[in-house]
Amino acid sequence: MDSLCEFDGNSDMYGMGVRIGCYLQWSTSIFAENFYGPAVEPCRDANTTFQVAMLAGLVLSTGSPKENAIALEGYIALLFCFTSVWIASLQVLSVPKTDHTNSLNFSDTKRAMRGVGDMLLNTAICSYGIYLLYVGFDQLRRTTCPETIFFFGPVELFGWFRIFLKVVLIISLVGSATSLSLRILSFFQQLSQFISQWGQSYMPQSPCPPSRVRMVKLSFSKLLGSIVGLGIFIVAIELTIAWNNIRHIYECASFSQLFPLVAGATNLSRVVYQLMKSTLEGTTRIEWSY
């Protein structure tokens, strides 16, 4: 199989615009999770879109052996998917709880359905990652120089780290599949309750008036942990690209790169604006805890 030491990267998959767009979207999710709860659900939708797009690109580029497909690029795309799964797990913890004063709780049904979709996507990512680690990478082109990736320092991808990834992904797949089963059960329970009450005489109660001031209890340790975690993923991606001499992925001159860049920047700007507006209007107050 032909090999090479440096190569032109796939700018449509991880070019500068795509990378910055993803970084901005991940940052937006963390920002909303910690500062502005009302934006968590829209951020989950946007993050899911990025996840699906990156997984589709990963499958398209590595699903069948091609002359130009390179194993290291598959790892970089897989790393993007890992990061999106981690961000999604943080967002799940921040979804506002439903007020159970209503017996007909359609919000819970929608939330259960959304949980099924999230876990299904996570399970698909873990499953395809296992395929790549066991089979797919061996069918793709390798570089002449050892593929060096970041794991709190430079390590070779096709060494002990590959075995470590296999173990991590298998454990993740078991966890995702188990969570998926539980979420499917929860969804059908919620759906059954909703359907059983559909024909009953039902008069929705007037919602309680929301408080004029929304208190944000911001945990410094939680925020710092999220920032550090995101920083580690970004460093891992950028150093992997730099250490392996991947060329032509530091420009942003195509629609496929501009679209995620603009989408990520727009989402972040919107959430920051909403928080600043509500803070200046006095409807949001932030309290710090350590």
Side-chain angles (χ1 to χ4, degrees), residues 5 7 40 53 87 118 121 124 126 135 180 186 194 227 229 240 248 252 262 268 275 281 287:
C5 190
F7 58 92
V40 168
I87 291 292
D118 287 343
L121 181 56
C126 292
V135 180
L180 175 61
S186 175
F194 179 78
I227 293 175
T240 297
H248 300 161
C252 182
V262 172
L268 179 59
L275 175 63
E281 290 176 346
E287 292 182 350

Side-chain angles (χ1 to χ4, degrees), residues 22-272:
C22 287
Y23 300 159
L24 290 175
Q25 181 56 45
W26 295 338
S27 300
T28 304
S29 298
I30 291 177
F31 185 86
E33 172 205 353
N34 287 275
F35 289 93
Y36 197 67
V40 168
E41 283 289 358
C43 285
R44 289 183 72 189
D45 294 338
N47 190 55
T48 298
T49 301
F50 275 79
Q51 275 185 284
V52 172
M54 189 57 66
L55 178 60
L58 175 62
V59 173
L60 182 63
S61 61
T62 62
S64 57
K66 299 177 182 178
E67 182 180 354
N68 294 326
I70 298 175
L72 183 62
E73 293 188 300
Y75 169 76
I76 293 174
L78 195 59
L79 190 55
F80 273 97
C81 293
F82 288 165
T83 311
S84 293
V85 169
W86 173 70
I87 291 292
S89 68
L90 295 180
Q91 292 176 319
V92 168
L93 300 177
S94 302
V95 175
K97 303 300 182 182
T98 302
D99 183 2
H100 291 278
T101 56
N102 269 340
S103 58
L104 188 60
N105 203 330
F106 185 57
S107 295
D108 276 352
T109 305
K110 291 192 298 182
R111 183 172 297 113
M113 182 169 60
R114 175 58 189 266
V116 169
D118 287 343
M119 283 300 104
L120 187 61
L121 181 56
N122 292 352
T123 301
I125 290 173
C126 292
S127 299
Y128 195 75
I130 291 174
Y131 159 76
L132 284 179
L133 289 169
Y134 277 93
V135 180
F137 281 159
D138 295 326
Q139 299 177 348
L140 303 176
R141 297 181 71 189
R142 295 279 306 276
T143 61
T144 303
C145 302
E147 295 89 343
T148 304
I149 58 96
F150 173 83
F151 185 69
F152 303 100
V155 299
E156 292 187 17
L157 173 59
F158 292 94
W160 66 265
F161 185 71
R162 184 180 183 181
I163 300 174
F164 171 75
L165 279 182
K166 291 178 180 179
V167 175
V168 170
L169 274 180
I170 290 175
I171 294 175
S172 299
L173 177 60
V174 172
S176 296
T178 302
S179 180
L180 175 61
S181 301
L182 295 175
R183 288 174 183 270
I184 290 176
L185 178 61
S186 175
F187 167 69
F188 279 110
Q189 288 175 339
Q190 295 288 346
L191 184 61
S192 176
Q193 179 186 3
F194 179 78
I195 294 176
S196 66
Q197 298 175 22
W198 181 262
Q200 298 178 7
S201 176
Y202 174 70
M203 182 64 68
Q205 301 177 2
S206 299
C208 297
S211 173
R212 292 182 60 84
V213 179
R214 186 178 61 86
M215 301 301 298
V216 179
K217 296 182 179 180
L218 185 61
S219 171
F220 178 78
S221 57
K222 176 185 175 182
L223 176 61
L224 180 61
S226 298
I227 293 175
V228 170
L230 178 58
I232 291 174
F233 279 112
I234 293 176
V235 168
I237 293 170
E238 293 299 324
L239 286 183
T240 297
I241 291 174
W243 286 343
N244 291 278
N245 303 312
I246 303 179
R247 305 182 301 248
H248 300 161
I249 39 80
Y250 291 100
E251 306 90 15
C252 182
S254 65
F255 175 79
S256 60
Q257 294 196 63
L258 287 174
F259 185 84
L261 175 60
V262 172
T266 301
N267 289 338
L268 179 59
S269 300
R270 177 177 53 83
V271 176
V272 171

